[in-house]
């Protein structure tokens, strides 16, 4: 195994066990390290999921599906794209955790698996990706590398590398015990991310104020989010509240 791969895997593992980092910061740092170190990668996404079973105390709408416990993205556009995946239940990251298998995208414009995700992916610069799911105790971590270019990855190199990084991240996070308590707060995170209705309200406000269409209104939300290093959902919530 090349030395740089071993070094990157160790760095990912060390970030997961750092006592100085909060869980959210550890995930952000992992995604930044992957974006910096994986060939062809322009942004990375690390997500912790909890499998909600009937009788877990959650509402019936989410029983039998995975919900987000926490996540980190190296770039705000990729965070926005992921929130769209989560809200619509379509996209490579969602499919990886639902199916329990790696998901590879050579070019999202040549894909027909997620019709509601294609436009958002292009807007957010997510043309190609490799996402690998790995067990994290009773939860699951998905580790994804993404690029704004089509066919950006040499899959013979990147696919096993992403699998290795996912395993190192999961082992480190599990041994550090970071998500024992956080998993119990999955319902709170789900409510925070399941903000599609709020985003639509915010779009309506902008459309009315500026006399523009839905696409232009969303672009305005996205620009404000990127400029202020916030998520689209956070910007939408503030606008609706004001």
């Amino acid at each position: 195994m090349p030395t740089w791969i071993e070094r990157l895997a160790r760095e990912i593992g060390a970030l997961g066990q750092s006592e100085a980092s909060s869980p959210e910061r550890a995930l952000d740092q992992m995604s930044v390290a992957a974006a910096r170190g994986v060939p062809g990668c322009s942004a990375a996404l690390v997500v912790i999921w909890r499998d909600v079973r009937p009788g877990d105390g959650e509402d019936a709408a989410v029983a039998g599906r995975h919900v987000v416990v926490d996540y980190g993205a190296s770039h705000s556009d990729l965070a926005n794209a992921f929130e769209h995946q989560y809200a619509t239940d379509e996209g490579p990251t969602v499919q990886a955790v639902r199916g329990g298998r790696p998901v590879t995208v050579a070019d999202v414009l040549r894909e027909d698996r997620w019709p509601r995700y294609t436009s958002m992916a292009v807007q957010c610069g997510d043309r190609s990706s490799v996402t690998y799911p790995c067990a994290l105790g009773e939860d699951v971590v998905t580790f994804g590398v993404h690029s704004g270019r089509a066919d950006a990855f040499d899959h013979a190199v990147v696919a096993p590398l992403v699998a290795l990084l996912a395993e190192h991240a999961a082992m480190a996070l599990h041994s550090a015990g970071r998500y024992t308590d956080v998993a119990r707060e999955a319902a709170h995170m789900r409510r925070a991310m399941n903000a599609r209705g709020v985003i639509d309200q915010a779009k309506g406000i902008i459309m009315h104020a500026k006399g523009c269409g839905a696409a232009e209104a969303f672009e305005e939300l996205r620009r404000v989010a990127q400029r202020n290093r916030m998520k689209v959902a956070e910007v939408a919530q503030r606008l609706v509240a004001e």
Side-chain angles (χ1 to χ4, degrees), residues 73-152:
S74 64
H75 196 283
S76 59
D77 278 350
L78 187 57
N80 295 337
F82 171 62
E83 291 188 358
H84 183 82
Q85 287 190 58
Y86 190 65
T88 61
D89 205 32
E90 279 193 5
T93 308
V94 171
Q95 181 160 324
V97 73
R98 303 283 188 257
R101 295 180 179 179
V103 174
T104 297
V105 179
D107 183 359
V108 73
L109 290 178
R110 301 198 297 265
E111 285 285 348
D112 58 8
R113 288 178 285 182
W114 318 293
R116 290 184 292 176
Y117 182 61
T118 302
S119 177
M120 172 62 71
V122 173
Q123 290 180 46
C124 294
D126 184 14
R127 286 287 298 274
S128 57
S129 61
V130 179
T131 304
Y132 193 93
C134 188
L136 173 58
E138 295 183 354
D139 299 322
V140 178
V141 58
T142 53
F143 205 109
V145 295
H146 300 253
S147 176
R149 296 185 296 109
D151 304 303

